Amino acid sequence: MTKRLYMETSELSGSAQVLRCEADESGHFVELDATLFHPQGGGQPSDIGVLQSDNGVSARVLQVKDVNGVILHWLDAPIAAGPVSLQVDPAVRHQHAMLHSIGHVIGNIGQRHGWKPVKAHHWPGECRIEFMPEASNRDLTADEIEDALATLIQAQLAAQVHVDDKGLRWVGFGELAPWPCGGTHLASLAEVSGQVSAAVKLKKNKLVVKYDIESKE
Ligand SMILES: [Zn+2]
């Protein structure tokens, strides 16, 4: 099992040990004893970045996957077993954390209108959340979502992370209801760098909210 440093810290650089370097049809990959790289999953793409060994050999991290609790990092070049420094790409981490964090908030907005979030996908250009109606559901328009989001972003709600007795990690923003989550998040909605747009579709009783963030130039 790889120690998941990205669950405990928002640091983007650190160190670890390469336990093994092997290759498959996708290229070279390494197992580390601990990692700052968030693997693909939970509706998020993986982090990317760089590993550098003590003797100066470096490799770009192209893809990261959780394979039965072991986190594997696919590289553009092999890197020998031993100590390495880790550097997560900050711009990519920010974008993924931002889209994912906004997903949490849209889930909360839906819930306030009687819609239970059941599925979430936070990939750039593909963000969508699916909701099922609860007994008290009422209409929810794209304008209402955008207005509510603007208010909550303006309020600069801070991420609230809490690990319960069973080791489950709960993540919410401000007073909004938290959810169990292993993803990466902004420290605060103050870090949202762009204009959020939303689109809503009602499909056979299921509400689908698509959203994106247009960067502010
Ligand atoms: Zn999350």
Side-chain angles (χ1 to χ4, degrees):
M1 298 285 267
T2 312
K3 188 167 166 57
R4 297 164 189 263
L5 302 173
Y6 63 84
M7 297 273 276
E8 300 165 9
T9 174
S10 54
E11 290 292 331
L12 299 181
S13 58
S15 55
Q17 294 284 332
V18 173
L19 301 179
R20 61 186 169 113
C21 181
E22 295 175 16
D24 67 3
E25 63 281 1
S26 303
H28 303 280
F29 65 89
V30 291
E31 178 185 349
L32 304 176
D33 65 337
T35 190
L36 290 168
F37 289 85
H38 180 268
Q40 180 178 319
Q44 286 186 271
S46 84
D47 280 322
I48 60 171
V50 175
L51 301 185
Q52 184 161 23
S53 66
D54 281 0
N55 59 14
V57 175
S58 70
R60 287 195 299 139
V61 177
L62 308 173
Q63 167 69 281
V64 185
K65 284 186 180 169
D66 180 340
V67 181
N68 302 321
V70 174
I71 300 175
L72 300 179
H73 307 65
W74 274 265
L75 309 175
D76 69 344
I79 203 157
V84 281
S85 65
L86 319 177
Q87 177 63 56
V88 176
D89 184 305
V92 170
R93 163 65 69 87
H94 175 76
Q95 188 193 26
H96 294 171
M98 180 168 67
L99 292 170
H100 176 75
S101 297
I102 291 298
H104 272 256
V105 180
I106 292 175
N108 284 109
I109 294 168
Q111 218 157 26
R112 282 191 202 165
H113 287 74
W115 294 90
K116 182 182 166 59
V118 290
K119 218 172 171 184
H121 180 74
H122 313 285
W123 286 49
E126 305 174 1
C127 293
R128 53 186 279 140
I129 300 181
E130 293 182 17
F131 296 88
M132 295 302 284
E134 294 181 305
S136 59
N137 79 89
R138 57 186 193 278
D139 284 353
L140 182 58
T141 66
D143 281 349
E144 283 173 307
I145 293 172
E146 288 177 4
D147 288 351
L149 271 172
T151 303
L152 294 167
I153 291 168
Q154 189 93 42
Q156 306 194 346
L157 302 182
Q160 310 286 341
V161 182
H162 163 73
V163 179
D164 71 16
D165 300 345
K166 292 173 184 150
L168 204 56
R169 181 175 176 253
W170 293 77
V171 181
F173 285 88
E175 301 303 309
L176 303 179
W179 282 298
C181 187
T184 57
H185 306 85
L186 300 178
S188 155
L189 297 183
E191 295 173 10
V192 174
S193 53
Q195 190 66 41
V196 186
S197 61
V200 173
K201 233 184 211 169
L202 197 57
K203 231 173 157 183
K204 286 187 192 162
N205 218 20
K206 193 168 71 180
L207 186 77
V208 180
V209 176
K210 292 187 178 179
Y211 67 97
D212 204 352
I213 303 179
E214 215 52 63
S215 64
K216 280 180 194 157
E217 293 300 333

